[in-house]
Amino acid sequence: MTVFDLRLDSPFDTTLASGVLKQGAADFKVEELLSPECAEAGEHVWLWLEKTGQNSEFVARQLARAYGVRDMDVGFSGLKDRHAVTRQWFSIYLGKRPEPDWQSLVIEGVCVLARHRHLRKLRRGEHRANRFSIVLREFTAEDGFFKILEQIRAQGFPNYFGDQRFGHAGQNLQRAEAWFEGRIKVSRSQRAMYLSAVRAWLFNLNLRREVAAGHWLQAGEGPLYGDDAPGVLGLSETERGVLVEHPLFAKGIHQNRMSLMRRPYVVVPEAMSWRHEGDMLQLEFTLPAGAFATTLLALCMQVNDASLRPQQQPSAGAEL
């Protein structure tokens, strides 16, 4: 099973520019756009955290350990990249217990910026959007590249799911196949992850077809496969054909009672700007929740992600 190479599935010329992404965490900044209406009362505390070099699920588990609650008592809205500086909300159910000293929290790379009382838990997908500030190092560009950026700012880019959804070398898809075939057993959280990867991969197949045909800008919304749902446009003959070509995935989606949803084929970044100085390019933009900044980058240039490089061993005499 192939994982998408967005350089090949892009409607833009990706050969006109190149750069190195994530040489350091500060080169990739994300801020979750969510304005909670906190009552300053209730059994939940919402924490506005800044974290560096830590992913959201790890931080959630550490919060549970630090404050003696169950993992399920900690909530957050969106998964954020580990190799980044990110700001996002977490909620913790304390019940009737007194509040701890939040400033004494000790999780590497994490600090508390604000806290509020709330009546309920923070659920997945509640944030509206994410604001990105991204720096590319060793950046080079030929004539025409900045016109591509202008086109993306005005018209948008194909809303492909990024590689993160599929796991390293597509392992989430491979494990989904093994699960659907009964060769492995999976946990509840793994089921959700593997089903998400399968539906994302099938969505990308449909979007790839629209891009290849040259009318992706007018394509509207594509399917996140599942059983027919009220108020959701049913599958077209072409969309059903993709399921016919992948019967194992179709069976797995149906057996797990997924409901059909629709996702936009095109995303137009909000407030997109850029600054080019020497061999550095800084991009700033806002994307709706669920859209991938790394997809935008991969569709318009050759990106070398430094966070994916093998970790170098320290030389003799180096400080550890």
Side-chain angles (χ1 to χ4, degrees):
M1 180 169 299
T2 59
V3 176
F4 287 82
D5 185 343
L6 296 184
R7 295 171 300 177
L8 304 178
D9 294 310
S10 174
F12 312 114
D13 187 347
T14 62
T15 67
L16 297 181
S18 65
V20 177
L21 179 65
K22 300 179 184 176
Q23 276 196 350
D27 285 350
F28 199 94
K29 296 180 179 179
V30 189
E31 182 167 330
E32 190 174 79
L33 300 186
L34 170 65
S35 300
E37 297 180 358
C38 297
E40 299 306 344
E43 297 184 338
H44 298 265
V45 173
W46 285 30
L47 300 177
W48 179 236
L49 301 184
E50 179 176 279
K51 52 192 185 62
T52 302
Q54 303 289 10
N55 68 43
S56 303
E57 291 180 323
F58 172 80
V59 171
R61 290 193 298 270
Q62 293 305 304
L63 287 171
R65 304 296 178 273
Y67 300 117
V69 301
R70 300 171 299 175
D71 288 354
M72 64 182 294
D73 291 330
V74 178
F76 58 91
S77 181
L79 291 169
K80 301 293 186 288
D81 200 296
R82 173 186 174 188
H83 301 283
V85 176
T86 65
R87 292 185 173 189
Q88 70 176 118
W89 288 97
F90 289 79
S91 72
I92 303 175
Y93 174 70
L94 291 181
K96 303 298 183 182
R97 285 173 291 179
E99 279 197 44
D101 177 9
W102 299 111
Q103 295 305 321
S104 68
L105 174 66
V106 180
I107 301 176
E108 183 180 358
V110 177
C111 63
V112 179
L113 303 179
R115 46 92 28 222
H116 297 281
R117 277 281 180 175
H118 207 291
L119 297 172
R120 62 175 181 82
K121 179 181 179 178
L122 175 60
R123 304 291 181 181
R124 293 290 184 96
E126 289 197 35
H127 63 300
R128 176 185 69 83
N130 294 297
R131 181 69 181 168
F132 295 90
S133 179
I134 297 172
V135 173
L136 290 144
R137 310 286 180 181
E138 301 176 30
F139 174 77
T140 62
E142 300 179 20
D143 292 343
F145 170 73
F146 291 100
K147 290 183 178 179
I148 292 176
L149 292 185
E150 290 171 359
Q151 182 180 350
I152 290 174
R153 178 167 60 185
Q155 297 181 313
F157 62 95
N159 191 21
Y160 287 110
F161 285 94
D163 289 345
Q164 304 97 305
R165 186 58 56 94
F166 309 116
H168 178 67
Q171 64 182 5
N172 289 348
L173 295 171
Q174 297 164 15
R175 290 173 181 169
E177 286 185 322
W179 169 38
F180 293 161
E181 291 174 344
R183 292 187 281 116
I184 62 172
K185 293 182 178 181
V186 299
S187 68
R188 188 172 186 176
S189 62
Q190 288 173 325
R191 289 199 300 270
M193 180 170 59
Y194 299 157
L195 284 166
S196 177
V198 166
R199 297 170 87 200
W201 189 76
L202 295 172
F203 175 91
N204 277 8
L205 285 182
N206 281 286
L207 179 50
R208 170 194 274 173
R209 183 189 63 246
E210 300 292 341
V211 170
H215 47 64
W216 58 276
L217 282 169
Q218 297 79 35
E221 295 183 323
L224 292 173
Y225 285 104
D227 297 335
D228 289 345
V232 179
L233 180 65
L235 298 178
S236 68
E237 183 177 349
T238 301
E239 290 169 344
R240 292 187 185 279
V242 172
L243 285 182
V244 171
E245 294 171 0
H246 299 90
L248 181 62
F249 283 174
K251 180 181 178 182
I253 290 171
H254 175 68
Q255 287 183 335
N256 284 277
R257 300 180 179 179
M258 305 304 296
S259 295
L260 177 64
M261 300 173 66
R262 290 281 173 176
R263 170 184 168 94
Y265 275 141
V266 180
V267 170
V268 180
E270 298 178 17
M272 182 175 178
S273 64
W274 53 86
R275 179 169 59 91
H276 178 207
E277 293 182 0
D279 64 350
M280 183 275 293
L281 176 70
Q282 181 178 17
L283 285 162
E284 294 188 348
F285 50 84
T286 297
L287 297 179
F292 290 74
T294 49
T295 292
L296 187 159
L297 297 176
L299 289 171
C300 67
M301 67 176 76
Q302 305 287 315
V303 178
N304 181 358
D305 190 338
S307 71
L308 301 179
R309 295 171 179 170
Q311 296 296 314
Q312 295 183 348
Q313 298 296 321
S315 59
E319 293 184 4
L320 297 177

